[in-house]
C-alpha cells in the first residue's frame, strides 16, 4: 500500500505549505478593478459547502500545509463562516490561519475571529476619502471599514496589514496619506499592482496600471525605505517589504507581474467551486469537488488527488507575455 507523504512537493523541488481557500464568490462591494457592476454569482449547488471546505482544509494540513488563508469574494459575508473558522482554528499542524477581508464586518467579528485562532488579517483599503472610497468600491462605506480596522487593532491580531490597489488617475494621490494612516496605527501596508484578472469595462487596465517601482519612488522621497530583503515570511511570494527609520510599520509592494518569485512559490489556491488552482497566472486546475461529492469519498482519496495534482504545478506564470490575454477568472473567484 502506498503511504501518503507528510509534505507536498512539486516537480520543481518546491514545497507547498500555504493554501488560499476562497469561501465565497460573493461580496458586499464591487471594487472597480475586481468585479463588474452587474455580477452573476455561482448557483448554490456549485459552491462547496462549509463541511466540504473544512475537509479540504483538513486534507491540506495533514499533507504538511501550515498556513491557510481564507478569502473570497468577501469571506465574512458567507453564512456560517464563523463556525468554519472555529473548526479550522482547531486543526493540528495549522500554524497560521489568516484572512483577507474588505473590513465591512470586522467591527462585529474581529474579537471572535481572534478568539477562534485567526492570527493575522489583511484588510483592503484603497482610499481615505469617503466619496472616492465609494466610487472605487461602488458600495463600500469608509467609516464602517475604518471602524473595522480599528476593531482589528483593538482585538490584538499580529501585524495587521492594509492592502491597497493604486490606479493611475484615481487614487495615486493618496499613496502618502495611506502610508500616514498605517504609521499612525502602527500597522503594515502592501501596495498591490493591478492584475489582469476578470474582464471589466469600468476602466482600461493598461491606462490605470501603476507599477510598484513608481509607488516606491513616491514613498521613498518622503520616507526613506530600507529593504527587508528576503527576511520576511512573505519572501516566498511576490511581495517585497521595506522598513521606515522612524516607525514600526512595514511597507510592501506586491508585483504579481514579476516572474522573479515563481521559483520560490509555496502556494496553491482552491476556488469556491473546489477547483485546485496550481498557479494564479495559469489555468492549470484539478477538480476537488468531484472527489468530495463522489460516492466513494474519503479524506485519503482527497489527499491523494491533491498529492497527484502537485505534479501539474507549472514552473512559472505567463501573465505578462506579449500575447498576454486576460485571464477570464475574476480575482473574487480565485481568492486574492
Ligand atoms: N474581499 C476581500 C478583500 O477585498 O480584501 C478578499 C478578496 S479580494 C479578491 C483580495 C485582494 O485582492 C484585495 O486586496 C483586492 O484589493 C485584491 N484584488 C482584487 N482584484 C484585483 C486585481 N484585479 N488586481 C490586483 N488586486 C486585486
Ligand atoms: Fe469584494 Fe474584495 Fe473584490 Fe472588493 S476586492 S469586490 S471587496 S472581493
Amino acid at each position: 500500500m502506498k503511504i501518503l507523504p507528510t509534505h507536498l512537493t512539486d516537480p520543481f523541488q518546491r514545497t507547498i505549505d500555504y493554501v488560499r481557500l476562497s469561501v465565497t464568490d460573493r461580496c458586499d462591494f464591487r471594487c472597480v478593478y475586481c468585479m463588474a457592476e452587474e455580477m452573476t454569482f455561482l448557483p448554490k449547488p456549485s459552491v462547496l459547502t462549509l463541511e466540504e471546505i473544512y475537509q479540504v482544509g483538513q486534507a491540506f494540513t495533514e499533507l504538511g500545509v501550515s498556513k491557510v488563508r481564507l478569502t473570497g469574494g468577501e469571506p465574512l459575508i458567507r453564512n456560517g463562516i464563523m463556525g468554519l473558522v472555529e473548526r479550522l482554528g482547531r486543526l493540528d499542524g495549522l500554524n497560521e490561519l489568516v484572512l483577507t477581508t474588505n473590513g465591512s464586518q470586522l467591527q462585529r467579528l474581529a474579537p471572535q475571529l481572534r478568539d477562534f485562532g485567526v492570527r493575522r488579517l489583511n484588510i483592503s483599503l484603497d482610499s481615505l476619502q469617503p466619496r472616492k472610497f465609494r466610487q472605487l468600491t461602488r458600495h463600500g462605506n469608509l467609516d464602517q471599514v475604518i471602524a473595522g480596522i480599528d476593531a482589528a487593532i483593538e482585538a490584538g491580531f499580529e501585524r495587521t496589514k492594509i492592502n491597497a490597489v493604486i490606479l493611475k488617475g484615481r487614487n495615486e494621490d493618496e499613496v502618502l496619506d495611506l502610508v500616514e494612516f498605517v504609521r499612525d496605527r502602527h500597522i503594515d501596508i502592501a501596495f498591490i499592482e493591478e492584475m489582469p484578472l476578470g474582464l471589466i469595462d469600468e476602466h482600461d487596465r493598461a491606462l490605470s496600471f501603476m507599477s510598484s517601482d513608481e509607488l516606491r519612488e513616491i514613498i521613498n522621497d518622503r520616507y526613506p525605505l530600507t529593504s527587508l530583503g528576503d527576511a520576511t515570511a512573505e519572501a516566498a511570494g511576490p511581495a517585497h517589504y521595506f522598513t521606515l527609520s522612524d516607525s514600526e510599520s512595514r511597507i510592501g509592494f506586491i508585483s504579481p507581474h514579476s516572474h522573479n518569485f515563481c521559483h520560490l512559490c509555496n502556494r496553491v489556491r482552491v476556488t469556491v467551486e473546489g477547483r485546485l488552482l496550481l498557479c494564479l497566472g495559469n489555468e492549470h486546475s484539478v477538480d476537488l469537488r468531484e472527489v468530495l461529492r463522489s460516492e466513494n469519498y474519503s479524506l485519503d482519496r482527497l489527499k491523494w488527488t491533491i498529492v497527484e495534482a502537485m505534479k501539474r504545478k507549472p514552473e512559472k506564470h505567463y501573465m505578462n507575455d506579449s500575447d498576454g490575454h486576460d485571464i477570464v477568472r475574476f480575482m473574487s473567484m480565485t481568492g486574492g
Side-chain angles (χ1 to χ4, degrees), residues 191-205:
F191 292 97
I192 311 176
E193 284 179 354
E194 186 179 13
M195 281 183 268
L197 287 177
L199 297 173
I200 53 164
D201 56 14
E202 199 265 351
H203 60 276
D204 181 341
R205 293 197 201 266

Side-chain angles (χ1 to χ4, degrees), residues 33-34 71-74 100-101 124 163 165 193 195 205 331:
Y33 47 78
C34 178
T71 179
E74 174 46 42
T100 305
T101 172
S124 299
N163 277 343
V165 176
E193 284 179 354
M195 281 183 268
R205 293 197 201 266
M331 187 78 153

